[in-house]
Amino acid sequence: RLTLDYKTIIISVSKGEPMTLKELRIKKRLTQDEFAQSIGVTKMTVSRWERGVMKLSLKNIRKIEETHKVKL
């Protein structure tokens, strides 16, 4: 089951370890702004995803998967 909020689990393709969106961003040593720019959204959008205020769209899920080589 896929939950599209701050508790969204991201599976790292390289190691297969589950992590949240925020954990992925921190692991890649990216600020919210840098992560946002990498997928074409605003820093506020990333902040809202991480806090669970806003849900990820399928379009943005695909962007994250492609850009950061992960599988949601």
Side-chain angles (χ1 to χ4, degrees), residues 15-28:
K15 296 185 182 181
E17 51 190 53
M19 65 184 76
T20 64
L21 187 61
K22 184 175 182 177
E23 290 169 337
L24 171 69
R25 178 179 60 77
I26 291 169
K27 183 176 182 177
K28 290 185 168 272

Side-chain angles (χ1 to χ4, degrees), residues 7-71:
K7 294 181 182 178
T8 298
I9 299 299
I10 296 176
I11 305 302
S12 172
V13 173
S14 60
K15 296 185 182 181
E17 51 190 53
M19 65 184 76
T20 64
L21 187 61
K22 184 175 182 177
E23 290 169 337
L24 171 69
R25 178 179 60 77
I26 291 169
K27 183 176 182 177
K28 290 185 168 272
R29 297 180 180 199
L30 297 171
T31 64
Q32 286 182 337
D33 192 46
E34 291 167 334
F35 188 84
Q37 287 180 21
S38 74
I39 57 171
V41 299
T42 66
K43 173 185 171 181
M44 184 60 68
T45 297
V46 172
S47 174
R48 289 176 178 157
W49 289 339
E50 290 182 356
R51 291 180 291 129
V53 175
M54 193 167 99
K55 294 183 178 185
L56 286 139
S57 69
L58 187 55
K59 176 182 167 185
N60 286 321
I61 289 171
R62 297 295 176 240
K63 283 184 187 177
I64 293 168
E65 287 179 330
E66 292 171 12
T67 305
H68 296 283
K69 308 298 184 232
V70 294
K71 182 68 179 161

